[in-house]
C-alpha cells in the first residue's frame, strides 16, 4: 500500500499496490503492520456499506464525539464520489479546514480519516457503493454533523446537492459547533 499524507495532519490517501497478471490483480486493502507504522488505527470494530442510487446524492457531514470518536477508512467500490473531510479537532492548527478527494472504482484508492473529523461525500455517478471501516461502533448518543453548505467551509461541491436527508439539512454550521476534544 502507498500512504500519501493529506494537508490535514493524520489524514491519508491510501492506494493499493497491485500485483497483476493475465487473470487480474491482487492487492491488500489493510495491513496492521503498515497502518501501525504510519500511526493509524489498526483495530476496526465495524464495517459498513452505503448505496446511493442517484448521481448528485450528498451525505454528510458526519462525525462522532468521544468516547465514540472514530477513525474511518473509506473506499468506493462502485461508481465515483467527491469525498470531503473537515478537521474539527480542538486545538488543531487546521481546525475548520477541509480537504477533498476523488474516489472511484477504477483507481480503488481509499481515504483514512482520523478521529475528530467530519466526513461526507457527493456521488458523481449513479449506482454508487461505498465500504467503510470504523474504529468505533456507531453510537447515536455521540453522533454529530456539520452543515454541508457552511459558507465558512466553502466546499465546492461539484453538483447541485440531490437526495439530501432531512437530518443532514438540519446540521449546524461550524460557528455553532464545539470543537471535538479527543
Amino acid at each position: 500500500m502507498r500512504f500519501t499524507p493529506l494537508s490535514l495532519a493524520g489524514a491519508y490517501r491510501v492506494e493499493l499496490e497491485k500485483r497483476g497478471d493475465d487473470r487480474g490483480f491482487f492487492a491488500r486493502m489493510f495491513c496492521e503492520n503498515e497502518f501501525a507504522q504510519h500511526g493509524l488505527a489498526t483495530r476496526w470494530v465495524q464495517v459498513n456499506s452505503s448505496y446511493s442510487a442517484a448521481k448528485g446524492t450528498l451525505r454528510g457531514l458526519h462525525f462522532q464525539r468521544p468516547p465514540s470518536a472514530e477513525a474511518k477508512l473509506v473506499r468506493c467500490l462502485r461508481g465515483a464520489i467527491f469525498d470531503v473531510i473537515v478537521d474539527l479537532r480542538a486545538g488543531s492548527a487546521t481546525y475548520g479546514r477541509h480537504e477533498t478527494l476523488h474516489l472511484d472504482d477504477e483507481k480503488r484508492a481509499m481515504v483514512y480519516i482520523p478521529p475528530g473529523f467530519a466526513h461526507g461525500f457527493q456521488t458523481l455517478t449513479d449506482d454508487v457503493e461505498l465500504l467503510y471501516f470504523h474504529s468505533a461502533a456507531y453510537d447515536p448518543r455521540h453522533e454529530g454533523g456539520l452543515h454541508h453548505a457552511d459558507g465558512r467551509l466553502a466546499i465546492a461541491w461539484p453538483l447541485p446537492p440531490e437526495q439530501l436527508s432531512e437530518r443532514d439539512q438540519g446540521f449546524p454550521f461550524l460557528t455553532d459547533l464545539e470543537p471535538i476534544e479527543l
Side-chain angles (χ1 to χ4, degrees):
M1 288 171 283
R2 289 185 297 274
F3 295 82
T4 303
L6 300 178
S7 64
L8 306 175
Y12 285 84
R13 179 182 182 90
V14 182
E15 297 172 282
L16 305 181
E17 286 187 296
K18 300 176 191 171
R19 297 174 193 258
D21 60 24
D22 294 341
R23 299 170 296 176
F25 73 87
F26 174 85
R28 291 180 293 167
M29 283 182 53
F30 172 73
C31 171
E32 182 178 359
N33 290 340
E34 289 189 48
F35 272 63
Q37 288 170 4
H38 289 84
L40 309 182
T42 58
R43 181 172 180 263
W44 305 108
V45 301
Q46 192 168 323
V47 179
N48 298 330
S49 68
S50 71
Y51 171 77
S52 300
K55 178 180 178 179
T57 299
L58 198 152
R59 295 179 187 257
L61 304 157
H62 306 137
F63 60 85
Q64 289 196 153
R65 292 184 180 277
S68 299
E70 60 183 347
K72 293 181 186 174
L73 182 65
V74 179
R75 179 175 169 194
C76 182
L77 298 176
R78 182 170 26 159
I81 63 166
F82 176 81
D83 202 68
V84 177
I85 61 174
V86 181
D87 186 354
L88 297 177
R89 297 173 293 186
S92 172
T94 56
Y95 175 80
R97 288 185 38 201
H98 73 277
E99 175 135 2
T100 65
L101 299 95
H102 177 97
L103 299 177
D104 62 39
D105 59 4
E106 290 185 25
K107 293 186 178 172
R108 298 177 173 89
M110 300 176 286
V111 60
Y112 176 87
I113 307 162
F117 279 65
H119 172 250
F121 66 90
Q122 184 174 44
T123 59
L124 301 175
T125 63
D126 290 335
D127 297 320
V128 170
E129 186 171 359
L130 298 186
L131 181 68
Y132 309 74
F133 291 81
H134 299 260
S135 66
Y138 171 69
D139 186 341
R141 296 171 299 169
H142 302 290
E143 70 177 339
L146 175 62
H147 201 279
H148 71 283
D150 188 323
R152 184 170 170 192
L153 299 175
I155 299 170
W157 299 100
L159 302 169
E162 300 284 343
Q163 309 289 325
L164 191 62
S165 74
E166 191 172 310
R167 180 182 73 131
D168 289 1
Q169 291 179 47
F171 284 147
F173 291 92
L174 187 62
T175 55
D176 299 321
L177 277 180
E178 290 291 324
I180 297 175
E181 296 279 352
L182 297 175

